[in-house]
Amino acid sequence: MSNRAAGAATLKRLRHSRGLSLAGTARALSETATALHHPRLPAVASIQRTVARWESAAPTLPDERYQLLLAHLYARTPAGQMSVGPGSDLAELLGALLDLGESESRVAALRTALIRTATDAGGVLALLSTPLQASLSAALTDPGQATEETVAGLGAVVANINAQVGAVPMVRLQLLLTPVIDVCRRLQAGALPDPLVGHVRAVSVAACSLAGRLAFENGDDQASRAPYATAAAQAEQLGETWLQASVHMSHALVTLYSSSDLSDAQRLVDRAMRAARTGDSVRVRARAHALQAEVAARAGLERQAQSALGLAWYDIGGQTSGDPSGSSFSAGHLRGFEGVCELSVGDPSVAHDRFAVSAAALVAPREQVQRAIVRTDQALARIRMGDPRSAAELLHECVLSATATGGRVPTIRLRRARTELRPWRREDFVTDLDDHLMDVLGT
């Protein structure tokens, strides 16, 4: 109840901060519904009683319709500007909904919906709080005026964009990220205060690595190389070897799917391993070993793949709390890599079981692209186990996942699985899958 009381108090504080009475809030929600072309709300007096119940001594949770209307109302400042980043009224509202008992997944969906809106109205500035917008403008005029709060806010924007991968279309995220990279470049070109140089460089590494990934996701392989090169150079200047390893791994993964020459990815994996071995991040080292195993398995090197997987499991079993990378790489992710290795140089039935365990573990919003990949590979394992009908049934689900996440790799994996269904191309279950692929993906 203490959390619910805190949630109710936050809703009341937000209302008062805008000078709204209960009736004024009711009218604002009704006007918001009209602007969004939603069905008409009840009379103002009825909405007013509903608002009062949210703030009462025994508060109720706004239903999903009102949550969306409240989110749109508080996502704009009183002046009408979009603001959805940390410290915004929207962030306060979402925290209040959590306190009132709403699920984290529903709150994440609300945040995603408003970030989608922000890409149409307000752009990257919408991800900054109003004070940070002002401090960033001052810093761009004179980098010497930059503060820790300014740089931290810029880093939070990159993290916010990264968190939306798989939920917001990749092209929208790329549009949001481009000005962040330009801001980092302009700040670094000026006379930054010495204590902030490293912080801005770290933000630049994160932004450029993500930019390389997004360029790949949007089908521009050539454009992905330059931001990765910038990120690698900036990481080297920082001297954090785990960060260098992260950049090389991300680059290796996109290279694995954009180059027909496996040696290109192998060179990047080797660089990642050299950096990861001396780095402070156990999770980055585990992921590097897992990627090393996948590349070895794709090259048909079973013994090397199993050895690298063993080292990855050893890393995951170590102390990962307080890991400097903030990576979410887990046993669930590693099971997926095991499945890929088994699919390449082992037993497809073992691969299928590894994929099933991995998919069950990958439930977070940020993990949906990876889950879509794992489920598609699971279908491929079913084909190789001699069960094409069941594989096609699973691939229908994978088509929807690939569409929802917008990931390029799931789509590549779908095409690979469909290619292996060619012996059954005249069967109804394959023609139905082809129709689905054509309707949804146009392929």
Side-chain angles (χ1 to χ4, degrees), residues 104-184:
E104 291 188 8
S105 60
R106 170 61 186 165
V107 169
L110 275 174
R111 181 182 292 110
T112 294
L114 271 298
I115 287 179
R116 283 173 176 258
T117 303
T119 63
D120 293 327
V124 71
L125 289 178
L127 301 178
L128 291 169
S129 65
T130 302
L132 279 173
Q133 290 182 28
S135 64
L136 182 58
S137 296
L140 288 174
T141 302
D142 176 9
Q145 296 186 45
T147 65
E148 288 187 12
E149 290 75 14
T150 306
V151 179
L154 201 58
V157 169
V158 178
N160 209 342
I161 295 171
N162 188 36
Q164 298 304 318
V165 170
V168 174
M170 303 292 186
V171 67
R172 289 180 178 240
L173 296 180
Q174 193 172 25
L175 289 172
L176 280 176
L177 190 62
T178 299
V180 178
I181 295 173
D182 183 58
V183 166
C184 289

Side-chain angles (χ1 to χ4, degrees), residues 422-436:
R422 280 177 179 170
W424 300 274
R425 62 186 177 277
R426 291 185 176 86
E427 298 289 342
D428 289 346
F429 61 85
V430 177
T431 57
D432 287 345
L433 177 62
D434 286 343
D435 288 343
H436 194 183

Side-chain angles (χ1 to χ4, degrees), residues 148 151-152 155 184 192 194-205 238:
E148 288 187 12
V151 179
C184 289
L192 275 169
D194 289 342
L196 299 183
V197 171
H199 295 308
V200 174
R201 187 163 283 143
V203 174
S204 180
V205 171
L238 273 172

Side-chain angles (χ1 to χ4, degrees), residues 27-41 69 72-73 76:
R27 284 191 292 272
L29 290 172
S30 184
E31 291 166 2
T32 301
T34 299
L36 294 173
H37 305 291
H38 284 201
R40 288 176 59 87
L41 295 183
L69 293 175
H72 276 277
L73 175 62
R76 290 188 180 275

